[in-house]
């Protein structure tokens, strides 16, 4: 499903598909872009685990909207496929 979305978005047929390009772009299947943004922030050390208010009051809707400028998505049967724009 994710490969088909990638090919469709890039106008590729199966003969033109490059798995390494797909793997570089694909960020996985998520319940929501907000869930991806939160985990991305945690995994990349952008969240200080020792922070206290007001630093713990992140507007994830706004943060997600800004992060997603660099991504594109496709809603699949299992969730939201997220790809880094290339």
């Amino acid at each position: 499903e994710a490969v088909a979305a990638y090919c469709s978005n890039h106008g590729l047929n199966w003969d033109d598909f490059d798995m390494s390009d797909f793997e570089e772009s694909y960020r996985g299947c998520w319940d929501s872009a907000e869930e991806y943004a939160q985990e991305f922030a945690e995994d990349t050390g952008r969240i200080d685990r020792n922070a206290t208010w007001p630093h713990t009051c992140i507007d994830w809707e706004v943060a997600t909207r800004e992060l997603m400028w660099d991504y594109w998505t496709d809603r699949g049967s299992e969730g939201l496929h997220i790809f880094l724009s290339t």
Side-chain angles (χ1 to χ4, degrees):
E1 193 174 67
V3 170
Y6 179 84
C7 288
S8 177
N9 186 66
H10 291 286
L12 301 173
N13 62 43
W14 291 109
D15 295 332
D16 298 326
F17 175 72
D18 183 330
M19 182 58 108
S20 63
D21 290 342
F22 170 80
E23 289 174 341
E24 186 177 317
S25 178
Y26 189 55
R27 296 300 185 250
C29 188
W30 300 84
D31 289 334
S32 69
E34 189 171 296
E35 178 187 36
Y36 172 74
Q38 289 178 15
E39 189 161 322
F40 178 79
E42 291 171 6
D43 289 350
T44 57
R46 289 176 166 83
I47 301 292
D48 180 357
R49 299 211 182 267
N50 297 317
T52 59
W53 182 89
H55 304 288
T56 56
C57 299
I58 297 172
D59 184 337
W60 284 108
E61 184 178 331
V62 172
T64 300
R65 189 170 47 246
E66 289 185 14
L67 175 68
M68 295 309 289
W69 278 102
D70 295 328
Y71 295 83
W72 63 274
T73 63
D74 183 78
R75 175 65 62 189
S77 63
E78 306 241 343
L80 186 68
H81 298 286
I82 298 180
F83 300 84
L84 179 63
S85 297
T86 54

